[in-house]
Amino acid sequence: MGEGRMKHYSADLVVIGGGSTGVGIARDAAMRGLSVVLVDKGDLGSGTTGRFHGQLHSGGRYVVSDMESAIECARENHTLRHIHSDAIEDCGGMFTLLSGDNPAYADQWIQKSQEIGLPFQEISCKEAFRREPRLSPTLARAALVEEGSIDSWKMVWGAVHSAQAYGATVLRYHQVTDMVVTDGTINTVICHDLRHDEQANISCAYVANAAGPWAGKIAALAQCFDVDVVCGRGVMVAMNHRLVNTVINRWVWPGDGGTLVPAHSVCIIGTTDVVDDDPDHLAIPRVEVEQMLDSGEELIPGFRKARALRAWAGARPLLHDKRVADDDTRHMSRGMSIIDHEDRDGIQNFVSIIGGKLSTYRLMAEKVTDILAKKANNHALCRTASEPVPEARAGSYYALTSRFKQREIEGKRSSSHSSDEDSLDNQIICECELVTRKMILDALSEDPEASFDDLRRRLRVGMGPCQGGFCSQRIAGLSVENGFCNAAEATARLRDFLARRWKGVMPVAHGQQAREMALDSWIHDNTLDIPDLLKNQ
Ligand SMILES: Cc1cc2nc3c(=O)[nH]c(=O)nc-3n(C[C@H](O)[C@H](O)[C@H](O)COP(=O)(O)OP(=O)(O)OC[C@H]3O[C@@H](n4cnc5c(N)ncnc54)[C@H](O)[C@@H]3O)c2cc1C
C-alpha cells in the first residue's frame, strides 16, 4: 500500500458489498435518513449479481420446493416492475412439460400455486407453439406465468443513483481488509483503495455485511467466526440468438439447465449447481457447458446448431444448512439468512445477510435495514417499494428495440440540426450493441479510470458475437484521443478486457465462434502487436 497515504470517511452505516443486496441496503438506509458509505472491492455488480441468469422470478420455480421463497418472489416481482421498470423486459414466462417428464409434478405445482394465489394460466399446446414455435414437439402441457428478464447492472446502478440522491457515498474498488472492534462494537472499517493504492478508514456506528459468497470472510474480520457460506457454482451459456421470446422453464422439480431466458439480443441457458470453494476463481468445466447445451437441445430442438457466444459461472451465496450433505447445494435453502451478530457473537452493531435471490433483493434489504434502524433508534418507514429509482420514473419497461428507438430519435435530431459534432457523437463504436461514441465518452467522463470491463457493465460494449474484437480497439483509440489515458495504459486496458472475454469464449469455441475468435486473434496479433491471446488461455 502507498506509504503514509490515508483517507478518512465517517458514516452512520458502512455497507460492504456492491451487489444487489448491498446497494439495496444502502438505498433503503439512505432513504430512512442514515448517512451511508457503500464499499466494493470491484465494480458494482461484478460479483454474483453480474453473473446471474437474468430471470425475474414469478415464484413458480419454488412453489413446490420452497413456498416461502415462492411467495416472496411473487410479491417482489410486482414491486420490481414498479421501481425498476427500465431494467426489466416484460417478456413473460412459460412452464413447459415435455413427454417423459413427471405429470404429477405439474398437478402438484398447480395445486400449490392456487393455494398461495400465484398467478398462472394453463394454455393449450397449440397456443404455446403459436407463442414459441421452436419449442420441442414433445410438449405435453404448458402454463403462462408473470416472468421477465432483468438487466442486473441497470438495476444496481438505478438503486445506487437513488441512494446517492439521498446522500450515500459509493466507493468502488475499495477492498475491506480489516475492522477495528472495541468493546463489542466495530468502530472503523479499513479499506484498501485498489485504484490508488491508498488506505481508507471509515468510522461508523453500524456495519452491514452484504459480501455475498465472500460474507464468511468479512464476518471473520469482525471476529465473527464460522459463518459458513457455501458457493453453489452455476454455469450458464449465452447463445447468439433470441431462440425464444419468453422465459421458458422446464415444468419439473428444479434441476440443472431447466431454464432458458431471453436477455437483450441473446438467450441464456442455465444453470448447473455444484459446490465450489473459491468465488474469485470459478471454474467453467467443459462438461457443465455440454450439459447446458444438451438441456437447451431438449427444450428447443436444433439449439446446438445456434452459435454459443460464451459461458460464465456465478456463485450462489448459500448459508451452510446442516440438514443436507456438505456438497448438496441444490437442496440448500435459496431463502435469505440474516445474522444479527449481537445475538450470535456479541458484536452489537454488525449484521450479515446471505443468500436469497436477485428478484427478492429489495425485500432482503428492507429486513436488514429494519434491524439496523431499530438499533439506531430510527423510526422512519421503508419507502423502497413505492418510490421508483430515478431511471425508472418514466415507467416503461425496457424493450429489445429500446436502443434502436433511441438511435432513431438521435439520428432524426442530428439530421435536422446536422452539425458535424452531432454526427461524430452518433458514430457507432460497438455495432452489436449499438453503443455510440457519445455513450462511451460520457461514461469515461463520469469515471475516467473505468476499465473496458466497467464500460461493458454500464453500456454492454463487447457483449455481441465479436466479444469486443472490433469495438475494444475503437474504445482504446477514443480513450487516448480524448485524454483519458496514455497509449500504454489503453493497451493494458485492452489486453485485460480481451483476456476476460476470451476466458468465457474458450469453453464454447467451436464452429462460427471459433472462426470469429481466430479472426480477432489475428487482428490483435498482426495489427496491434498484442501477443496471441489464444495461446495464453
Ligand atoms: C448461477 C446463478 C444464477 C442465478 N440466477 C438468478 C436469477 O435468474 N434470478 C434471480 O433472481 N436470482 C438469481 N441468482 C441469485 C442472485 O444472482 C444472487 O442472489 C444475488 O446476485 C446475490 O447478490 P449479493 O449482492 O448478495 O452478492 P454479490 O453480487 O456477489 O455481491 C457481493 C459483493 O461483495 C463484494 N466484496 C467481496 N469481498 C469484499 C471485500 N473484502 N471488500 C469489499 N467488497 C467485497 C464483491 O466484490 C461483490 O460485488 C442466481 C445466482 C447464480 C449463482
Side-chain angles (χ1 to χ4, degrees), residues 128-195:
F129 287 125
R130 191 190 66 76
R131 288 169 181 260
E132 290 299 344
R134 289 196 174 92
L135 282 176
S136 165
T138 68
L139 183 73
R141 253 174 117 175
L144 299 178
V145 287
E146 293 180 349
E147 294 193 336
S149 71
I150 319 180
D151 183 321
S152 61
W153 295 307
K154 265 179 183 282
M155 195 192 84
V156 158
W157 278 97
V160 157
H161 288 149
S162 169
Q164 286 172 323
Y166 282 94
T169 299
V170 177
L171 303 175
R172 294 149 67 223
Y173 294 99
H174 279 62
Q175 178 164 22
V176 174
T177 53
D178 208 351
M179 293 195 238
V180 180
V181 181
T182 316
D183 298 332
T185 304
I186 303 169
N187 51 50
T188 309
V189 174
I190 300 174
C191 302
H192 180 197
D193 174 347
L194 299 166
R195 277 179 168 174

Side-chain angles (χ1 to χ4, degrees), residues 141-446:
R141 253 174 117 175
L144 299 178
V145 287
E146 293 180 349
E147 294 193 336
S149 71
I150 319 180
D151 183 321
S152 61
W153 295 307
K154 265 179 183 282
M155 195 192 84
V156 158
W157 278 97
V160 157
H161 288 149
S162 169
Q164 286 172 323
Y166 282 94
T169 299
V170 177
L171 303 175
R172 294 149 67 223
Y173 294 99
H174 279 62
Q175 178 164 22
V176 174
T177 53
D178 208 351
M179 293 195 238
V180 180
V181 181
T182 316
D183 298 332
T185 304
I186 303 169
N187 51 50
T188 309
V189 174
I190 300 174
C191 302
H192 180 197
D193 174 347
L194 299 166
R195 277 179 168 174
H196 307 111
D197 193 21
E198 278 179 286
Q199 183 170 321
N201 288 359
I202 315 170
S203 23
C204 58
Y206 305 95
V207 179
N209 169 14
W214 297 269
K217 286 188 183 154
I218 294 293
L221 294 178
Q223 298 162 20
C224 303
F225 302 106
D226 301 322
V227 175
D228 196 0
V229 182
V230 177
C231 295
R233 184 191 66 223
V235 164
M236 292 144 281
V237 180
M239 308 302 284
N240 192 23
H241 301 283
R242 261 169 84 107
L243 296 168
V244 290
N245 281 310
T246 315
V247 177
I248 304 293
N249 301 275
R250 192 88 177 255
W251 212 352
V252 292
W253 183 270
D256 289 353
T259 309
L260 183 58
V261 181
H264 294 270
S265 55
V266 304
C267 66
I268 305 167
I269 183 76
T271 130
T272 51
D273 196 344
V274 178
V275 76
D276 202 311
D277 47 16
D278 185 359
D280 284 306
H281 300 100
L282 294 173
I284 311 171
R286 189 89 198 205
V287 61
E288 289 183 40
V289 170
E290 290 299 317
Q291 199 188 335
M292 290 304 96
L293 296 175
D294 284 344
S295 305
E297 189 69 35
E298 283 175 31
L299 283 170
I300 308 287
F303 190 86
R304 274 179 165 283
K305 289 196 192 127
R307 177 165 159 186
L309 281 185
R310 65 183 287 107
W312 68 98
R316 290 177 189 82
L318 305 168
L319 194 65
H320 183 209
D321 185 339
K322 304 271 183 260
R323 290 164 302 172
V324 298
D326 285 1
D327 60 351
D328 184 3
T329 51
R330 173 77 59 201
H331 293 102
M332 282 181 196
S333 171
R334 294 289 191 275
M336 62 188 93
S337 309
I338 298 175
I339 304 173
D340 183 339
H341 293 282
E342 181 165 8
D343 308 336
R344 183 184 184 271
D345 307 283
I347 306 292
Q348 293 150 30
N349 60 343
F350 186 41
V351 178
S352 292
I353 173 143
I354 295 129
K357 282 160 284 296
L358 187 126
S359 303
T360 56
Y361 94 94
R362 193 215 58 84
L363 178 66
M364 292 159 63
E366 179 179 341
K367 292 192 174 179
V368 171
T369 314
D370 281 349
I371 297 173
L372 292 163
K374 195 169 166 203
K375 287 179 190 285
N377 215 9
N378 173 310
H379 302 290
L381 293 177
C382 172
R383 291 185 291 118
T384 54
S386 54
E387 184 174 313
V389 304
E391 288 87 335
R393 290 218 167 103
S396 59
Y397 289 118
Y398 169 83
L400 182 57
T401 49
S402 293
R403 278 215 173 144
F404 284 112
K405 203 166 148 191
Q406 187 186 343
R407 187 140 175 81
E408 291 253 296
I409 294 168
E410 277 160 11
K412 273 191 194 136
R413 198 182 299 140
S414 71
S415 65
S416 63
H417 296 100
S418 193
S419 79
D420 287 350
E421 207 178 309
D422 280 340
S423 41
L424 199 61
D425 277 353
N426 281 321
Q427 262 179 3
I428 295 285
I429 301 301
C430 168
E431 284 90 354
C432 308
E433 297 289 340
L434 288 182
V435 180
T436 62
R437 177 188 164 99
K438 182 169 187 321
M439 287 159 82
I440 305 267
L441 292 180
D442 285 350
L444 282 170
S445 303
E446 220 178 277

Side-chain angles (χ1 to χ4, degrees), residues 17 19-21 40-41 48-49 52-53 55 176 213 316 356 358-359:
S20 55
T21 314
D40 197 291
K41 70 184 170 102
T48 308
T49 297
F52 86 134
H53 199 171
Q55 183 177 17
V176 174
R316 290 177 189 82
L358 187 126
S359 303

Side-chain angles (χ1 to χ4, degrees), residues 65-192:
S65 60
D66 182 351
M67 240 188 191
E68 199 182 320
S69 287
I71 294 168
E72 285 171 0
C73 284
R75 213 175 65 199
E76 287 302 304
N77 178 310
H78 285 250
T79 305
L80 292 196
R81 284 166 186 270
H82 173 57
I83 65 169
H84 285 296
S85 55
D86 65 310
I88 291 175
E89 189 188 342
D90 184 26
C91 53
M94 196 189 287
F95 276 73
T96 55
L97 183 90
L98 306 184
S99 70
D101 292 342
N102 176 11
Y105 179 82
D107 291 335
Q108 199 186 356
W109 186 98
I110 286 176
Q111 188 210 324
K112 298 259 186 192
S113 297
Q114 284 167 339
E115 243 173 71
I116 63 167
L118 193 146
F120 73 93
Q121 183 197 354
E122 190 157 7
I123 54 170
S124 65
C125 290
K126 190 173 164 202
E127 174 59 13
F129 287 125
R130 191 190 66 76
R131 288 169 181 260
E132 290 299 344
R134 289 196 174 92
L135 282 176
S136 165
T138 68
L139 183 73
R141 253 174 117 175
L144 299 178
V145 287
E146 293 180 349
E147 294 193 336
S149 71
I150 319 180
D151 183 321
S152 61
W153 295 307
K154 265 179 183 282
M155 195 192 84
V156 158
W157 278 97
V160 157
H161 288 149
S162 169
Q164 286 172 323
Y166 282 94
T169 299
V170 177
L171 303 175
R172 294 149 67 223
Y173 294 99
H174 279 62
Q175 178 164 22
V176 174
T177 53
D178 208 351
M179 293 195 238
V180 180
V181 181
T182 316
D183 298 332
T185 304
I186 303 169
N187 51 50
T188 309
V189 174
I190 300 174
C191 302
H192 180 197

